[in-house]
């Protein structure tokens, strides 16, 4: 199962939309850097995450003052590494 | 588990290199091994010895170098991407008849084959975008 890492804001890039088009059953998504804006409480992007395992790097959300919605798991760097060991391949979306 | 990281982001242009550094520290702390870090595209600028960020800003180069020393990391800068962007080792500067070299200590120049080899040898390859 694939781990998708999205590092661009859904408001400035198609990275998340492109990722979601290929994200299959059993895949997981990690939001990092400006990607964390998709996890903001109240964001209209959240409906796209229905039924998917979505994680968000806590340090990057805090750095931006993003209040992460309860349905997205906030993780630290150690958990991010652990996720990378649990999934394969790892695909980064940044365009 | 054996990891290779690929860094496309130049320092100060995107967060990619800083994220890669955080990820590298976390994986080493978890007891995994970091086989190689491959700097590609604009990511080659991470290997410039001439970067002089203000003291109150993050010194990415120094942090990569300290991590390299502590864990004997293989920090590889893509030679073709580096030549185009003016990042040269002493021997490349001399061979290309340029006036100066600027590849930082702890980094080496090598070809894309080093990335292919790392991808074949490692269980995980994680890319950090520009």
């Amino acid at each position: 199962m694939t781990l998708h890492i999205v590092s661009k804001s859904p408001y400035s890039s198609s990275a998340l939309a492109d990722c979601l088009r290929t994200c299959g059953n059993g895949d997981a998504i990690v939001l990092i850097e400006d990607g964390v804006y998709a996890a903001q409480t109240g964001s209209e992007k959240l409906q796209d995450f229905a039924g998917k395992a979505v994680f968000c790097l806590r340090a990057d959300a805090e750095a931006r003052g993003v209040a992460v919605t309860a349905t997205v798991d906030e993780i630290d760097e150690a958990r991010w590494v652990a996720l990378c060991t649990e999934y394969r391949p790892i695909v980064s979306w940044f365009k | 588990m054996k990891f290779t990281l690929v860094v496309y982001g130049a320092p100060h242009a995107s967060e990619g290199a800083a994220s890669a550094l955080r990820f590298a520290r976390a994986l080493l702390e978890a007891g995994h091994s970091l086989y190689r870090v491959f700097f590609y595209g604009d990511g080659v600028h991470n290997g410039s010895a001439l970067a002089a960020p203000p003291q109150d800003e993050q010194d990415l180069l120094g942090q990569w170098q300290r991590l390299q020393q502590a864990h004997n990391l293989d920090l590889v800068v893509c030679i073709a991407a580096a030549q185009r962007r003016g990042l040269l080792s002493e021997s490349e500067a001399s061979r290309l008849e340029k006036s100066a070299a600027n590849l930082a200590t702890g980094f080496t120049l090598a070809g894309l084959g080093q990335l292919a080899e790392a991808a074949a040898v490692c269980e995980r390859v994680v890319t950090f975008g520009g």
Side-chain angles (χ1 to χ4, degrees), chain B residues 19-44:
Chain B
S19 294
L21 191 61
R22 281 159 61 196
F23 189 87
R25 286 204 190 100
L27 81 85
L28 290 165
E29 276 167 21
H32 299 295
S33 81
L34 183 49
Y35 182 73
R36 184 165 293 145
V37 183
F38 194 86
F39 296 90
Y40 195 38
D42 285 343
V44 301

Side-chain angles (χ1 to χ4, degrees), chain A residues 22-89:
Chain A
T22 67
C23 186
N25 282 341
D27 289 1
I29 300 172
V30 180
L31 304 169
I32 69 166
E33 300 172 17
D34 282 349
V36 302
Y37 285 113
Q40 181 139 29
T41 303
S43 160
E44 73 273 20
K45 306 291 176 189
L46 294 172
Q47 60 203 30
D48 299 334
F49 294 150
K52 295 190 161 55
V54 184
F55 303 86
C56 170
L57 213 48
R58 181 181 294 117
D60 288 355
E62 284 179 354
R64 289 161 177 79
V66 168
V68 175
T69 189
T71 52
V72 170
D73 261 350
E74 286 189 76
I75 58 170
D76 61 8
E77 281 75 6
R79 180 76 182 112
W80 182 20
V81 170
L83 284 170
C84 289
T85 67
E86 293 162 16
Y87 291 81
R88 185 169 179 269

Side-chain angles (χ1 to χ4, degrees), chain B residues 1 4 10 16 25 28 30 39 48-49 52 58 61 65 67 84 96 98-99 119 122 129:
Chain B
M1 197 172 272
T4 281
R25 286 204 190 100
L28 290 165
F39 296 90
S48 171
Q58 200 179 15
L61 172 64
Q65 287 177 315
L67 201 65
R84 289 186 178 86
L96 296 165
K98 296 292 182 185
S99 57
C122 288

